């Protein structure tokens, strides 16, 4: 005999695209829902790179979780860190030692950047998954120009004006394109001792081409558009070392004071929590109904899950896929709580790939439709505004984009918090005279608009 809906408690870990979609899909079902996240906001990750590159402010792409569900008395939100799961006892263990019981558990904890065994590189080349990552990168970018303005040594100045983006997927391409526009089109009239147009922006990719997931003709267009914006493409050779004073690509050392990592991701520790073997990226293999084999009451979705499409190919770790999985799991939980038979396996519907290179340049691949250039850029923009939450955010982002388009000025360029001059870690980063520079940038500092 099944329980009544009011006795059914669903715990959702993670307030990303997948987790939020589960909670929304359970609206009106009568189930009790507890949503747990270690941050108090939902983040629109596809536009995170625009926070890092001074186009958007943090408040334009993030929303307090509690405000999203203020009219949902069935939803309890907990700001907490999850330390583990006890499937036998149906308990979620929190960082403060407390536990939360569940009847159904949904794990949607996303992914972090992976350094392929070189975790120490994160201090030098931060990845881009959180608002903290974005504001750290933004601070480093802006401080690089400021320090170059005050640097008398030409070699040190060149190192400060060299920016390395590691990984040429959509995030890397988008970052490199906007950094180049910032340096070569936006900032140059504002400095007196340096010409920011002389900055080097390096896009480094171990594979043979940029945007490998796109058709080759769109990849070729993206590469050409990046080079037209002054981005140097270094393809076919992986990064072998990331140090505070530069990057080593293969056997070649390049003095570079600001690096960003966009080369790989690893799933959250959900597989460790559940005691199951994850795939190479740590993702949890799930069954056709997105539940963990042997644990029909536990679902894993989004970047945390290894999901196969109907043709056997892996479902990509993108927002539309996570939302589709969230909708499916919510319906499955509804059906189970009411004693209804399952509705069939999850089927992923690919809605296409989009990436922007800069102003008036983007690529769109949707089935047989392949777009590039200005039209693709408008399609990309409309699609992203459509998926933002709320009229206020859509209006704010649209206005910021319009301002940037018409004036060429980026609106989120204030450096706040932390010291501006060289820190102790900067001084320790100095190498012998042939690589002497004036310090790397402190990490973990936030920038607000």
């Amino acid at each position: 005999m099944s329980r009544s809906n009011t006795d059914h408690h669903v715990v959702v870990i993670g307030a990303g695209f997948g987790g939020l979609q589960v909670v929304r899909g359970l609206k009106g079902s009568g189930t009790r829902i507890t949503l747990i996240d270690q941050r108090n906001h939902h983040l629109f990750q596809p536009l995170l790179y625009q926070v890092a590159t001074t186009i958007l402010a943090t408040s334009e792409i993030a929303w307090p979780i509690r405000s999203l569900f203020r009219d949902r008395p069935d939803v309890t939100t907990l700001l907490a860190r999850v330390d583990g799961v006890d499937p036998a006892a149906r308990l979620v263990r929190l960082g403060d030692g407390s536990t939360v019981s569940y009847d159904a558990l949904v794990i949607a904890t996303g992914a972090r950047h992976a350094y392929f065994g070189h975790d120490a590189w994160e201090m030098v080349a931060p990845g881009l998954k959180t608002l903290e990552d974005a504001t750290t990168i933004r601070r480093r970018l802006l401080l690089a120009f400021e320090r170059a303005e005050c640097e008398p040594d030409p070699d040190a100045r060149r190192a400060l004006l060299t920016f390395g983006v590691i990984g040429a997927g959509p995030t890397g391409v988008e970052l490199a394109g906007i950094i180049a526009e910032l340096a070569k089109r936006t900032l140059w009239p504002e400095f007196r001792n340096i010409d920011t147009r002389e900055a080097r922006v390096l896009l480094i990719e171990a594979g043979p081409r940029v945007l490998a997931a796109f058709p080759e003709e769109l990849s070729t267009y993206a590469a050409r558009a990046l080079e037209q914006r002054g981005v140097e493409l270094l393809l076919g050779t992986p990064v072998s070392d990331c140090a505070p004073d530069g990057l080593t690509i293969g056997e070649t050392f390049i003095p570079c004071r600001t690096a960003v990592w966009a080369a790989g991701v690893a799933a959250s520790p959900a597989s460790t929590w559940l005691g199951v073997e994850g795939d190479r990226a740590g993702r949890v293999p799930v069954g056709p109904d997105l539940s963990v084999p042997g644990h029909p009451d536990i679902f894993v979705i989004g970047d945390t899950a290894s999901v196969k499409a109907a043709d056997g190919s892996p479902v990509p770790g993108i927002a539309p896929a996570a939302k589709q999985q969230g909708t499916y799991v919510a319906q499955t939980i509804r059906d189970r709580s009411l004693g209804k038979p399952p509705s069939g396996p999850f089927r992923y519907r690919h809605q296409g790939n989009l990436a922007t290179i800069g102003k008036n340049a983007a690529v769109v691949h949707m089935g047989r439709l392949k777009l590039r250039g200005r039209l693709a850029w408008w399609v990309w923009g409309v699609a992203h505004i459509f998926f933002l939450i709320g009229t206020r955010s859509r209006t704010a982002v649209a206005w910021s984009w319009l301002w940037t388009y018409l004036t060429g000025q980026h609106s989120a360029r204030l450096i706040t918090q932390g010291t501006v001059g060289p820190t102790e870690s900067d001084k320790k980063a100095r190498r012998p005279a042939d690589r002497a520079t004036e310090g790397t940038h402190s990490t973990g500092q936030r920038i607000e608009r």
Side-chain angles (χ1 to χ4, degrees):
M1 181 180 298
S2 63
R3 299 183 181 187
S4 67
N5 277 14
T6 54
D7 293 330
H8 201 77
H9 183 207
V10 179
V11 174
V12 179
I13 307 175
F17 289 105
L20 253 60
Q21 197 68 18
V22 172
V23 176
R24 287 169 173 161
L26 290 173
K27 184 177 182 179
S29 66
T31 57
R32 292 187 299 114
I33 304 166
T34 298
L35 177 60
I36 306 172
D37 200 289
Q38 62 183 346
R39 291 179 172 82
N40 79 329
H41 55 267
H42 167 71
L43 175 65
F44 191 79
Q45 279 194 351
L47 291 180
L48 193 58
Y49 80 96
Q50 294 209 353
V51 172
T53 53
T54 75
I55 294 176
L56 298 177
T58 56
S59 60
E60 293 173 337
I61 65 164
W63 307 269
I65 298 168
R66 292 188 183 278
S67 70
L68 296 177
F69 299 111
R70 62 184 302 173
D71 299 324
R72 292 279 303 276
D74 56 319
V75 179
T76 298
T77 300
L78 298 181
L79 180 65
R81 187 187 75 249
V82 173
D83 277 353
V85 175
D86 186 342
R90 290 186 172 183
L91 293 174
V92 175
R93 295 193 298 271
L94 303 183
D96 62 1
S98 63
T99 60
V100 179
S101 62
Y102 64 84
D103 294 303
L105 173 65
V106 182
I107 301 177
T109 42
R112 285 290 292 172
H113 29 271
Y115 290 85
F116 311 115
H118 301 280
D119 292 346
W121 292 358
E122 184 173 7
M123 295 299 293
V124 177
L128 187 58
K129 287 293 182 182
T130 67
L131 284 180
E132 292 85 354
D133 295 334
T135 53
T136 293
I137 292 168
R138 185 165 70 182
R139 187 174 193 274
R140 291 189 181 192
L141 289 175
L142 295 175
L143 280 178
F145 292 107
E146 297 296 340
R147 289 173 175 168
E149 176 80 349
C150 302
E151 176 56 64
D153 181 77
D155 292 334
R157 191 184 309 123
R158 278 191 292 271
L160 286 166
L161 292 177
T162 300
F163 304 89
V165 179
I166 305 165
T171 298
V173 166
E174 291 167 343
L175 276 168
I178 300 300
I179 293 172
E181 289 189 349
L182 180 67
K184 300 178 185 299
R185 299 184 182 182
T186 302
L187 295 179
W188 67 268
E190 302 178 10
F191 289 82
R192 301 296 175 260
N193 298 325
I194 61 172
D195 186 347
T196 65
R197 292 172 293 186
E198 296 177 355
R200 294 182 69 190
V201 181
L202 314 176
L203 181 58
I204 306 153
E205 169 59 42
R209 62 187 179 97
V210 304
L211 298 179
F214 285 71
E216 188 167 357
E217 61 192 88
L218 296 182
S219 172
T220 300
Y221 166 80
R224 186 170 62 251
L226 286 165
E227 290 175 331
Q228 289 172 348
R229 283 161 173 75
V231 177
E232 298 178 40
L233 303 182
L234 304 178
L235 308 178
T237 304
V239 170
S240 54
D241 190 32
C242 291
D245 62 343
L247 304 173
T248 303
I249 304 168
E251 300 296 327
T252 303
F253 176 81
I254 300 177
C256 170
R257 283 335 216 14
T258 307
V260 183
W261 187 265
V265 296
S268 71
S271 61
T272 303
W273 297 346
L274 300 174
V276 301
E277 184 177 356
D279 65 7
R280 290 187 300 175
R283 294 182 293 253
V284 177
V286 295
D289 63 351
L290 304 183
S291 68
V292 178
H295 301 286
D297 55 337
I298 301 177
F299 302 87
V300 184
I301 62 175
D303 289 341
T304 318
S306 175
V307 185
K308 298 294 184 183
D311 61 1
S313 62
V315 173
I318 56 179
K323 294 180 73 171
Q324 290 179 36
Q325 292 166 25
T327 298
Y328 174 87
V329 166
Q331 187 59 51
T332 299
I333 293 173
R334 277 178 176 268
D335 292 343
R336 287 185 183 180
S337 66
L338 296 173
K340 293 183 178 180
S343 57
F346 170 73
R347 294 190 178 278
Y348 171 63
R349 299 174 300 281
H350 187 56
Q351 298 174 344
N353 293 321
L354 304 89
T356 181
I357 297 108
K359 183 178 179 180
N360 291 330
V363 288
V364 173
H365 180 217
M366 296 179 176
R368 296 181 179 180
L369 179 64
K370 300 175 185 177
L371 300 176
R372 70 196 77 180
R374 186 188 298 267
L375 178 59
W377 187 72
W378 282 103
V379 170
W380 175 91
V382 170
H384 281 72
I385 288 176
F386 175 79
F387 283 110
L388 286 167
I389 296 175
T391 302
R392 177 184 175 277
S393 294
R394 295 188 183 105
T395 302
V397 170
W399 170 250
S400 292
W401 284 352
L402 180 62
W403 172 262
T404 300
Y405 184 84
L406 294 177
T407 68
Q409 296 296 310
H410 295 192
S411 59
R413 284 173 40 202
L414 300 186
I415 302 173
T416 62
Q417 301 184 18
T419 58
V420 173
T423 64
E424 286 304 312
S425 62
D426 291 339
K427 297 172 185 176
K428 292 177 182 178
R430 293 188 180 189
R431 297 281 290 265
D434 61 333
R435 294 184 186 176
T437 49
E438 186 54 38
T440 186
H441 317 312
S442 59
T443 60
Q445 303 297 334
R446 297 189 63 188
I447 298 175
E448 301 299 339
R449 185 173 175 177

